[in-house]
C-alpha cells in the first residue's frame, strides 16, 4: 500500500508534470516560485521524523511492486536516510530560491530546467530512502539521467553536451556494474532488502561472490562520487548552470556514492579489502583533487576539483571508520570517531561548498567571467559576496572558528589513530594515511586562498570584464547567506546536530556496536589540547601560506605532465575508438535492404533452433498424427499455389493480391481449427494490410529482376527450405511429445472463475497477461510514431533543401 | 486523383455503419465471445479505411477531425491509468475485477474492469492503424 512516505518520495515527480502548465499559464510569475514549494514542504515533512530516528526508531513502509521477484517499493527512514533526505530537500530549497534570481524568466527554458530539477530531487530521495536494492538502482539511474539533462541544459553549447555525455557514460557504466553487484548480493542472501542483507552480513563474508560483489558495487559508488580515476567527469559537468552545480555537486548527486558506501558499510566493512579500497581511493582522490585544483584558472574548475578532493576525504573517513566494526563494543574503540567526522564533514561540506558555488555564480553573473586571471579587486564593489567567499573558503581550508576547522581536526584525528590499528597491516604502512592527508590539506589551503584573494583582492581590471561589476540583488544573496550562517553556527555550536542528526546516522552505519538502549558518544569541541592534530593544522597554515605566496614560482611544475598522459585524453580516445569501431561494425551489416535483414533473421532462427533442439535431443516424431480432412487438403493446395504465384509473378499487383489470398486462407485454417478470435483478427489484418499496400502502390520501385542472380536465388532457396523444415519439425515435435498435462482444461475454468469471462483468449489478453498487452500496445504506438516521423520528417527535410 | 466511383461510395455509406456497429458489438462482447479491444479496434479502423478508399483522405479528415496520434496516446493513457488505478485499492498493478449488476430493461449484466483496459487497447489500435495509413497515404 502506498503511504504518505511513498508520496513524499514521488512528490517531486508528480510536481514535475505540472511545471510546463504552470510555466505556460502563469508566464508572468517566475516558475521557480511554484517549484520552491516542493522542497520546502518536503523539508518540513521530513523534519517530523527527526525525533523518531533520534530515538533509534525506524519507519518502514512497503508497497508491492514485483512481489514475485522480491522487489518492493520499500521506503525506509533511519538516521542515515533522514540525514540525506534533509540535505536534499534543505539544500534543494535554497538552490531553487537562488535559481529564481539566477535564471532569467524571459531568456531561459525554465520549464525544462525545473522539470529536470524536480525529477532529480525525487530520484535522489528515492536513492536514500529505498530499502530495496533494485528500487535504489532504478532511482540511481534516474539521477544519472536527470543530471545528464541538467548538465546539458544549455544544449546548444558543445561543451555542455560533451560534459553531460561524459558524466552519463561514466556514472551509468558504474551503475551497471553496481547492478551486477546487487544481483550477486541477492544470490548470496536471497533478498533485495538492504536491512535483511545487513542482518545476514556475517554469513556471507566467506562466500565466493563476496569480494566480486564488493568490487563492482564500489565501482558504482566511486564513479558516482567522482573518485579517482573516475573524477574526470565532474570538472566537465561544470558546464551546467550554477544552481545545478551547487545542487548536484555540493549536496546531492556526488554524495549518492558516499551514501551507498555508508549504507553498505555494515555488510562489507568486516573485510580488510573494504577498509583498504575505500580509504585508499578516498585518500588518493583527496590528494589528486586538491593538487589539480591549484592549477585551475576557472573559479568553477577550482570548485570542481575541490569537490572531488573533499568527497575523497569523506570517503577515506568512512573507510577508516570501518575499523570500528572490528570491535565488539564501544569500549576503547578509537575508530568510531572517523564515522562521526565523515558525517559531520558531509554536512559541513554541503554548507560551505553550496555557498561557494553560489558565490561563484554571483561573480559570474555580475562580471561575466569566472577566470581568475581576469578577475581581481572585487572586494570593494561586492562586499557581501566577498564576505561569503571568505567564510566559505576559510571553512573549506579548515581554519577556525568555522565548521570546516572542526571536521578537519577530526579528520586528522582519524588518520592519526588508524596507525594504531593492529589488523590488515595498517600498523606497518598506516603512516601513509596521515602524511597524505596532511599534504592534501596544504593544497586545499592553497586553492581556498586562491578562491578568495585572486578574485577579490589586488587590482580590478574593468577593461577585461564583460560587464561593469556590482553587488548582486538581495534575493540572489539570500541562499548563500543562509548557508554561510550555518557554517558559522555549526562552527560555534557544533553539537547542535550531534544527537539529533549525526548520532542516529552513525547508528545506521555501525549497527553492530550498539547494544539495547546504548548510543554513541558524540561531542565536537574546539579546544582539544596541544595535540598532534593541532600541530598539523599549524603546519598546514604555515607551509600553505608560504606556498601560496610563492605560487608563481612553482606553478610551472604542472606543465611537466604531457597532455597525452592525462585521464581525459584516455577517455576521449576510448570514446572516439568505440564510436569508430561500432560505426564500422554497423556499416558492415546494415545494408538498408530489407531482404538482407530477413536473411539474418531467418538464418539465425533456423540455425539456432535446429542446433539447440538437436543438441538437447528434443526432436521427436511420432506417426499418430490427426487425420487430414478434405477441406484441409484443398486449403493447403490453395496456400501452396498462391505462394508460387507470389514468388514467380512479374506484376506487383498480382503479388499483392496473392499475399492477400495467402492471408485469408490462413484465416480459414483458423476457422477450421476453431480459433475464431485469431481468424477474425487475421481477416481484418489482411484486409487492412492489402489496403495499405494499395495505398503505397504508386511509390514502390519496379520489381527489378536483374538483382535476382542464380547465386542469390540458391541462397534464398536453402534458407527458405531450412526455415520451413524447422517449423514443420517443431510443429510435429510439439504435437508428439506431450511432456506435461495439457492446460487447455485449466484456462476455460480459470477464466470464468477468476475473471468472469467465457472467452479465454480475451481473458488471457486483458486479465491474466494484461501487462504483456500493455507493452504490446506501447510497441504499436512507438511503431506508429516511428513511421510518422520517418515519413513526415523526411518530407520536411526535403522541403528545406 | 480519386475517380468518382458511385457504386462504391453509395455502398460504403450503408456498409460503414454496419461495420461500425458490429465493431462496437464485438468490442463489448469480447469478454465472453470472440472479440475484444484488439479486434474491435481493427474493425473500426478497417471501416474508416473503407471510407478512405471510397472517398479520399481529405474527406475523411473532414468527417473525422481527430489527430490519430492523440487517439493512440489517449489509449495508452487509459490502459496505464487502469493499471495505476488498482493501486488505489491496494492491489498490484493491472489487477482486474468484475461483478454482476442488474439494470433496468437489460437485466443482469456483468461489468468487468477489464473492459476499461480494453478501451485503451481499442483506442491504441484505431489510432495506430489510422496514423500509419494516413501518413503513408498523404506521402505523395
Amino acid at each position: 500500500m502506498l503511504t504518505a512516505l511513498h508520496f513524499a518520495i514521488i512528490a517531486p515527480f508528480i510536481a514535475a508534470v505540472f511545471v510546463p502548465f504552470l510555466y505556460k499559464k502563469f508566464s508572468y510569475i517566475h516558475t521557480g516560485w511554484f517549484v520552491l514549494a516542493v522542497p520546502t514542504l518536503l523539508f518540513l515533512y521530513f523534519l517530523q521524523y527527526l525525533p523518531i530516528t533520534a530515538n533509534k526508531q525506524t519507519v518502514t513502509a512497503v508497497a508491492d511492486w514485483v512481489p514475485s521477484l522480491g522487489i518492493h517499493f520499500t521506503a525506509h527512514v533511519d538516521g542515515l536516510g533522514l540525514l540525506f533526505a534533509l540535505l536534499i530537500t534543505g539544500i534543494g530549497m535554497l538552490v531553487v530560491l537562488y535559481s529564481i534570481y539566477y535564471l532569467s524568466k524571459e531568456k531561459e527554458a525554465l520549464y525544462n530546467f525545473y522539470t529536470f530539477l524536480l525529477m532529480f530531487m525525487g530520484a535522489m530521495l528515492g536513492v536514500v530512502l529505498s530499502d530495496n536494492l533494485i528500487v535504489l538502482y532504478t532511482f540511481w539511474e534516474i539521477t544519472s539521467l536527470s543530471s545528464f539533462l541538467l548538465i546539458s541544459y544549455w544544449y546548444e553549447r558543445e561543451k555542455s553536451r560533451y560534459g553531460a555525455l561524459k558524466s552519463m557514460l561514466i556514472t551509468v557504466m558504474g551503475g551497471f556494474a553496481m547492478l551486477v553487484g546487487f544481483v550477486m548480493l541477492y544470490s548470496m542472501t536471497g533478498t533485495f532488502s538492504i536491512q535483511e542483507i545487513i542482518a545476514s552480513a556475517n554469513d556471507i563474508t566467506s562466500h565466493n561472490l563476496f569480494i566480486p560483489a564488493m568490487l563492482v558495487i564500489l565501482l558504482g559508488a566511486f564513479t558516482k562520487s567522482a573518485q579517482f580515476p573516475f573524477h574526470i567527469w565532474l570538472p566537465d559537468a561544470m558546464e551546467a548552470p550554477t544552481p545545478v552545480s551547487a545542487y548536484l555537486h555540493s549536496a546531492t548527486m556526488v554524495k549518492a556514492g558516499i551514501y551507498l558506501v555508508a549504507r553498505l558499510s555494515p555488510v562489507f566493512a568486516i573485510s580488510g579489502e573494504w577498509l583498504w579500497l575505500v580509504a585508499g581511493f578516498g585518500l588518493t582522490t583527496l590528494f589528486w583533487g586538491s593538487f589539480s585544483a591549484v592549477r585551475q584558472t576557472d573559479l568553477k574548475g577550482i570548485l570542481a576539483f575541490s569537490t572531488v578532493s573533499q568527497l575523497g576525504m569523506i570517503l577515506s573517513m568512512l573507510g577508516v571508520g570501518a575499523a570500528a566494526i572490528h570491535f565488539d563494543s564501544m569500549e576503547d574503540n578509537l575508530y568510531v570517531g572517523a564515522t562521526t567526522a565523515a558525517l559531520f564533514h558531509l554536512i559541513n561540506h554541503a554548507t560551505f561548498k553550496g555557498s561557494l558555488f553560489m558565490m561563484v555564480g554571483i561573480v559570474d553573473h555580475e562580471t561575466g567571467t569566472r577566470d581568475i586571471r581576469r578577475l581581481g579587486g572585487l572586494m570593494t564593489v561586492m562586499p557581501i559576496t566577498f564576505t561569503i567567499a571568505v567564510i566559505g573558503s576559510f571553512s573549506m581550508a579548515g581554519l577556525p572558528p568555522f565548521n570546516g576547522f572542526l571536521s578537519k581536526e577530526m579528520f586528522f584525528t582519524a588518520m592519526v589513530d588508524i596507525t594504531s590499528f593492529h589488523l590488515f597491516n595498517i600498523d606497518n604502512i598506516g603512516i601513509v594515511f596521515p602524511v597524505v592527508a596532511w599534504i592534501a590539506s596544504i593544497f586545499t589551503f592553497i586553492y581556498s586562498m586562491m578562491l578568495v584573494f585572486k578574485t577579490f583582492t589586488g587590482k580590478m581590471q574593468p577593461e577585461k570584464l564583460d560587464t561593469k561589476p556590482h553587488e548582486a540583488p538581495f534575493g540572489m544573496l539570500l541562499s548563500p547567506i543562509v548557508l554561510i550562517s550555518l557554517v558559522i553556527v555549526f562552527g560555534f555550536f557544533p553539537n547542535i546536530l550531534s544527537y539529533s542528526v549525526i548520532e542516529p546516522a552513525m547508528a545506521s552505519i555501525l549497527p553492530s556496536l550498539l547494544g539495547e538502549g546504548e548510543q554513541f558518544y558524540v561531542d565536537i569541541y574546539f579546544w582539544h589540547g596541544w595535540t598532534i592534530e593541532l600541530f598539523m593544522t599549524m603546519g598546514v597554515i604555515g607551509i600553505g601560506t608560504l606556498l601560496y605566496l610563492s605560487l608563481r614560482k612553482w606553478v610551472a611544475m604542472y606543465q611537466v605532465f604531457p597532455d597525452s598522459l592525462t585521464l581525459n585524453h584516455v577517455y576521449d580516445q576510448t570514446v572516439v575508438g568505440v564510436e569508430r569501431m561500432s560505426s564500422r561494425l554497423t556499416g558492415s551489416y546494415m545494408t538498408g535492404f530489407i531482404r538482407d535483414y530477413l536473411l539474418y533473421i531467418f538464418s539465425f532462427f533456423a540455425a539456432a533452433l535446429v542446433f539447440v533442439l538437436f543438441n538437447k535431443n528434443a526432436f521427436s516424431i511420432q506417426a499418430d498424427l490427426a487425420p487430414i480432412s478434405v477441406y484441409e487438403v484443398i486449403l493447403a493446395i490453395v496456400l501452396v499455389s498462391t505462394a508460387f504465384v507470389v514468388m514467380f509473378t512479374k506484376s506487383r499487383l498480382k503479388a499483392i493480391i496473392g499475399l492477400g489470398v495467402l492471408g485469408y486462407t490462413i484465416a480459414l485454417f483458423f476457422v477450421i481449427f476453431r480459433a475464431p478470435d485469431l481468424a477474425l483478427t487475421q481477416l481484418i489484418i489482411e484486409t487492412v494490410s492489402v489496403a495499405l499496400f494499395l495505398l503505397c502502390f504508386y511509390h514502390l520501385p519496379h520489381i527489378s529482376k536483374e538483382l535476382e542472380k542464380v547465386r542469390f536465388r540458391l541462397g534464398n532457396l536453402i534458407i527458405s527450405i531450412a526455415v520451413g523444415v524447422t517449423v514443420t519439425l517443431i510443429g510435429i515435435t510439439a504435437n508428439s511429445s506431450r511432456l506435461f498435462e495439457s492446460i487447455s482444461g485449466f484456462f476455460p475454468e480459470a477464466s470464468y472463475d477468476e475473471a468472469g469471462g467465457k472467452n479465454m483468449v480475451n481473458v488471457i489478453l486483458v486479465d491474466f497477461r494484461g501487462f504483456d498487452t500493455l507493452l504490446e500496445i506501447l510497441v504499436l504506438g512507438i511503431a506508429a510514431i516511428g513511421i510518422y516521423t520517418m515519413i513526415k520528417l523526411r518530407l520536411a527535410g526535403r522541403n528545406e533543401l | 486523383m480519386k475517380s468518382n466511383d458511385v457504386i462504391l461510395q453509395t455502398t460504403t455509406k450503408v456498409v460503414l455503419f454496419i461495420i461500425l456497429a458490429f465493431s462496437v458489438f464485438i468490442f463489448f462482447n469480447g469478454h465472453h465471445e470472440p472479440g475484444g479491444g484488439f479486434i474491435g479496434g481493427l474493425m473500426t479502423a478497417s471501416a474508416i479505411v473503407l471510407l478512405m478508399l471510397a472517398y479520399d483522405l481529405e474527406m475523411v479528415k473532414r468527417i473525422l477531425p481527430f489527430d490519430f496520434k492523440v487517439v493512440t496516446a489517449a489509449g495508452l493513457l487509459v490502459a496505464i491509468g487502469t493499471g495505476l488505478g488498482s493501486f488505489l485499492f491496494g492491489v498490484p498493478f493491472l489487477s482486474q475485477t468484475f461483478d454482476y449488476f442488474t439494470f433496468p430493461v437489460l437485466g443482469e449484466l456483468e461489468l468487468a474492469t477489464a473492459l476499461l483496459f480494453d478501451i485503451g487497447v481499442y483506442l491504441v489500435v484505431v489510432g495506430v492503424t489510422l496514423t500509419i495509413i494516413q501518413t503513408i497515404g498523404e506521402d505523395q
Side-chain angles (χ1 to χ4, degrees):
Chain A
M1 208 44 202
L2 286 175
T3 61
L5 188 55
H6 289 107
F7 280 111
I9 295 174
I10 51 179
F13 292 105
I14 299 170
V17 176
F18 293 103
V19 165
F21 295 111
L22 290 172
Y23 177 77
K24 233 178 178 171
K25 264 251 136 58
F26 302 97
S27 53
Y28 48 92
I29 303 174
H30 197 289
T31 318
W33 290 113
F34 301 110
V35 176
L36 186 60
V38 179
T40 313
L41 291 175
L42 286 177
F43 184 73
L44 296 176
Y45 173 79
F46 284 118
L47 274 184
Q48 63 164 340
Y49 285 96
L50 268 181
I52 302 174
T53 55
N55 288 329
K56 296 289 172 326
Q57 267 149 14
T58 58
V59 179
T60 311
V62 189
D64 283 347
W65 183 17
V66 192
S68 52
L69 295 177
I71 298 171
H72 310 280
F73 185 10
T74 312
H76 179 80
V77 184
D78 63 355
L80 185 63
L82 187 65
L83 163 62
F84 275 88
L86 288 175
L87 270 183
I88 292 160
T89 49
I91 305 278
M93 199 161 70
L94 296 173
V95 164
V96 172
L97 179 64
Y98 176 77
S99 71
I100 293 172
Y101 292 91
Y102 191 84
L103 294 171
S104 140
K105 79 171 188 289
E106 280 83 28
K107 290 184 216 142
E108 304 282 356
L110 291 178
Y111 47 94
N112 280 346
F113 180 79
Y114 287 112
T115 310
F116 302 156
L117 195 73
L118 284 170
M119 261 172 72
F120 178 80
M121 193 182 290
M124 276 308 297
L125 284 176
V127 166
V128 301
L129 294 176
S130 301
D131 183 51
N132 194 284
L133 286 175
I134 296 296
V135 178
L136 189 152
Y137 171 76
T138 313
F139 282 119
W140 181 279
E141 293 298 31
I142 300 177
T143 67
S144 296
L145 194 72
S146 48
S147 68
F148 168 82
L149 293 168
L150 281 170
I151 295 168
S152 60
Y153 171 66
W154 285 315
Y155 55 84
E156 53 310 321
R157 298 185 191 169
E158 157 111 48
K159 276 179 118 180
S160 297
R161 297 198 302 266
Y162 173 81
L165 186 67
K166 197 176 192 178
S167 80
M168 176 135 113
L169 280 179
I170 293 178
T171 54
V172 168
M173 183 199 78
F176 277 145
M178 190 179 84
L179 178 64
V180 175
F182 287 171
V183 174
M184 286 178 179
L185 275 181
Y186 179 74
S187 74
M188 283 187 278
T189 58
T191 172
F192 279 122
S193 159
I194 298 173
Q195 295 308 316
E196 288 171 28
I197 290 174
I198 290 173
S200 59
N202 286 326
D203 309 331
I204 59 170
T205 37
S206 55
H207 199 285
N208 282 339
L209 287 176
F210 183 72
I211 297 291
M214 181 168 94
L215 291 178
V216 285
I217 289 175
L218 278 183
L219 188 65
F222 286 175
T223 48
K224 200 74 163 181
S225 310
Q227 295 298 297
F228 183 87
F230 310 110
H231 65 281
I232 51 171
W233 67 262
L234 209 149
D236 285 303
M238 289 299 142
E239 291 303 323
T242 302
V244 172
S245 310
Y247 195 37
L248 268 62
H249 308 131
S250 77
T252 53
M253 168 150 118
V254 289
K255 287 193 171 145
I258 291 185
Y259 166 79
L260 192 75
V261 168
R263 177 57 84 201
L264 293 179
S265 279
V267 182
F268 292 113
I270 200 77
S271 71
E273 287 85 352
W274 178 265
L275 199 162
W276 275 117
L277 281 170
V278 176
F281 271 93
L283 276 175
T284 315
T285 313
L286 165 66
F287 169 73
W288 188 252
S290 62
F291 179 69
S292 308
V294 174
R295 74 180 295 190
Q296 302 301 314
T297 53
D298 179 3
L299 284 176
K300 259 177 133 181
I302 298 178
L303 286 183
F305 278 102
S306 121
T307 303
V308 169
S309 147
Q310 301 275 316
L311 290 170
M313 176 172 160
I314 299 173
L315 210 63
S316 68
M317 290 189 265
L318 278 178
V320 169
I325 230 159
H326 292 270
F327 295 79
D328 290 330
S329 67
M330 289 180 296
E331 308 274 314
D332 326 314
N333 195 336
L334 281 173
Y335 311 104
V336 173
T339 311
T340 320
L343 292 169
F344 188 46
H345 193 67
L346 186 83
I347 302 168
N348 294 342
H349 178 247
T351 56
F352 65 68
K353 189 56 69 62
S355 57
L356 284 176
F357 266 119
M358 292 176 187
M359 177 278 286
V360 167
I362 291 171
V363 170
D364 189 12
H365 208 261
E366 307 305 338
T367 66
T369 183
R370 301 191 307 249
D371 193 330
I372 52 172
R373 289 168 301 192
R374 293 164 66 189
L375 290 165
L378 294 177
M379 187 163 73
T380 45
V381 274
M382 306 171 85
I384 305 177
T385 316
F386 171 67
T387 316
I388 294 167
V390 168
I391 300 174
S393 307
F394 281 21
S395 177
M396 181 157 74
L399 299 179
F402 306 115
N403 58 3
F405 168 74
L406 298 166
S407 42
K408 178 142 294 187
E409 295 293 278
M410 291 164 75
F411 167 61
F412 283 154
T413 314
M415 293 299 140
V416 171
D417 284 346
I418 194 68
T419 49
S420 56
F421 184 59
H422 299 291
L423 253 182
F424 315 128
N425 283 327
I426 286 181
D427 36 350
N428 296 326
I429 37 181
I431 189 69
V432 179
F433 283 66
V435 170
V436 173
W438 187 69
I439 296 173
S441 296
I442 294 175
F443 282 103
T444 308
F445 180 85
I446 296 171
Y447 71 68
S448 302
M449 295 306 118
M450 280 168 66
L451 215 51
V452 182
F453 293 114
K454 297 262 177 193
T455 318
F456 292 97
T457 60
K459 222 175 87 209
M460 189 156 72
Q461 303 147 303
E463 71 281 358
K464 287 191 181 176
L465 303 178
D466 299 341
T467 50
K468 195 173 173 305
H470 52 86
E471 186 59 278
F474 178 70
M476 208 159 169
L477 289 167
L478 195 59
S479 291
I481 289 175
V482 170
L483 282 173
I484 221 70
S485 320
L486 288 177
V487 168
I488 300 171
V489 169
F490 293 158
F492 282 108
F493 309 100
N495 288 313
I496 274 184
L497 299 176
S498 292
Y499 288 97
S500 51
V501 176
I502 297 178
E503 200 270 341
M506 288 173 70
S508 317
I509 302 176
L510 305 166
S512 61
L513 293 181
L514 285 184
E516 190 66 40
E518 284 184 312
Q519 60 177 8
F520 290 106
Y521 177 67
V522 181
D523 192 13
I524 305 163
Y525 47 91
F526 264 109
W527 182 249
H528 42 77
W530 292 102
T531 53
I532 183 162
E533 296 90 285
L534 195 61
F535 288 114
M536 281 167 85
T537 306
M538 289 175 182
V540 166
I541 298 172
I543 297 177
T545 313
L546 284 178
L547 282 174
Y548 174 70
L549 292 175
S550 59
L551 193 60
R552 207 166 287 162
K553 294 189 184 115
W554 56 272
V555 83
M557 141 186 123
Y558 285 102
Q559 307 305 323
V560 173
F561 306 105
D563 274 349
S564 57
L565 273 182
T566 58
L567 287 161
N568 271 321
H569 187 72
V570 173
Y571 165 82
D572 291 337
Q573 288 300 309
T574 318
V575 170
V576 170
V578 169
E579 269 178 7
R580 196 175 298 148
M581 206 173 71
S582 61
S583 82
R584 200 175 298 158
L585 196 70
T586 326
S588 68
Y589 69 88
M590 298 294 275
T591 55
F593 290 109
I594 200 162
R595 61 163 179 276
D596 284 335
Y597 303 146
L598 285 178
L599 197 78
Y600 307 142
I601 295 170
F602 283 133
S603 19
F604 176 79
F605 168 78
L609 267 182
V610 169
F611 175 76
V612 171
L613 292 177
F614 255 116
N615 237 12
K616 302 265 177 206
N617 244 342
F619 284 120
S620 81
I621 292 156
Q622 281 167 19
D624 58 336
L625 301 172
I628 300 169
S629 71
V630 168
Y631 316 108
E632 287 159 29
V633 175
I634 297 171
L635 284 181
I637 291 170
V638 174
L639 213 58
V640 171
S641 43
T642 42
F644 272 102
V645 172
V646 172
M647 272 197 299
F648 293 109
T649 180
K650 286 205 168 48
S651 128
R652 172 155 275 138
L653 196 61
K654 273 186 205 159
I656 293 172
I657 294 171
L659 277 179
V661 173
L662 262 178
Y664 285 126
T665 321
I666 291 171
L668 286 179
F669 264 113
F670 286 138
V671 172
I672 290 177
F673 294 137
R674 274 167 294 175
D677 285 273
L678 283 179
L680 257 174
T681 314
Q682 175 80 15
L683 277 174
I684 302 169
I685 288 268
E686 281 307 323
T687 316
V688 174
S689 57
V690 168
L692 245 181
F693 255 125
L694 292 174
L695 268 176
C696 52
F697 188 74
Y698 277 106
H699 310 294
L700 291 173
H702 290 287
I703 299 181
S704 48
K705 281 287 159 188
E706 65 262 43
L707 263 172
E708 307 192 357
K709 294 184 194 121
V710 176
R711 193 172 55 85
F712 175 68
R713 281 189 172 180
L714 197 68
N716 281 3
L717 185 73
I718 293 171
I719 291 172
S720 51
I721 289 177
V723 172
V725 170
T726 314
V727 172
T728 314
L729 277 177
I730 292 171
I732 296 175
T733 307
N735 190 45
S736 330
S737 51
R738 296 230 172 233
L739 300 176
F740 310 101
E741 192 72 27
S742 164
I743 56 165
S744 53
F746 162 79
F747 269 120
E749 273 178 35
S751 332
Y752 196 73
D753 296 343
E754 288 173 29
K758 291 187 197 117
N759 176 9
M760 69 180 203
V761 177
N762 192 270
V763 168
I764 292 174
L765 279 179
V766 299
D767 291 75
F768 295 163
R769 308 200 61 93
F771 204 58
D772 288 4
T773 314
L774 181 64
L775 293 184
E776 266 161 32
I777 56 176
L778 193 66
V779 170
L780 271 182
I782 293 169
I785 297 295
I787 291 174
Y788 180 80
T789 46
M790 249 180 355
I791 289 177
K792 291 284 171 181
L793 292 187
R794 191 198 68 198
L795 283 177
R798 198 190 286 158
N799 288 344
E800 273 167 27
L801 288 172
Chain B
M1 146 195 155
K2 205 89 205 169
S3 63
N4 219 0
D5 190 333
V6 179
I7 299 175
L8 180 61
Q9 290 181 350
T10 317
T11 329
T12 303
K13 280 177 193 163
V14 181
V15 169
L16 182 75
F17 291 102
I18 300 176
I19 303 181
L20 280 179
F22 186 55
S23 81
V24 172
F25 167 75
I26 219 169
F27 165 70
F28 279 108
N29 215 17
H31 222 49
H32 295 297
E33 307 289 333
F38 198 78
I39 301 175
L42 269 178
M43 202 165 273
T44 308
S46 63
I48 299 173
V49 170
L50 178 65
L51 202 60
M52 285 174 178
L53 291 177
Y55 297 88
D56 63 5
L57 291 172
E58 287 309 308
M59 175 75 95
V60 174
K61 263 199 169 168
R62 234 177 309 140
I63 302 170
L64 299 166
F66 306 121
D67 184 350
F68 287 104
K69 296 188 295 299
V70 177
V71 175
T72 313
L76 277 175
L77 274 183
V78 170
I80 293 170
T82 59
L84 294 178
S86 46
F87 286 144
L88 294 180
F89 302 95
V91 286
F93 189 65
L94 268 181
S95 300
Q96 310 286 7
T97 182
F98 66 97
D99 208 343
Y100 298 90
F101 299 92
T102 313
F103 288 89
V105 186
L106 299 169
E108 193 186 48
L109 275 184
E110 181 200 15
L111 287 184
T113 54
L115 191 72
L116 294 175
F117 179 72
D118 237 11
I119 289 177
V121 178
Y122 176 89
L123 289 176
V124 170
V125 171
V126 174
V128 166
T129 321
L130 291 170
T131 307
I132 295 177
I133 290 181
Q134 257 184 4
T135 319
I136 295 180
E138 282 169 5
D139 177 31
Q140 299 304 335

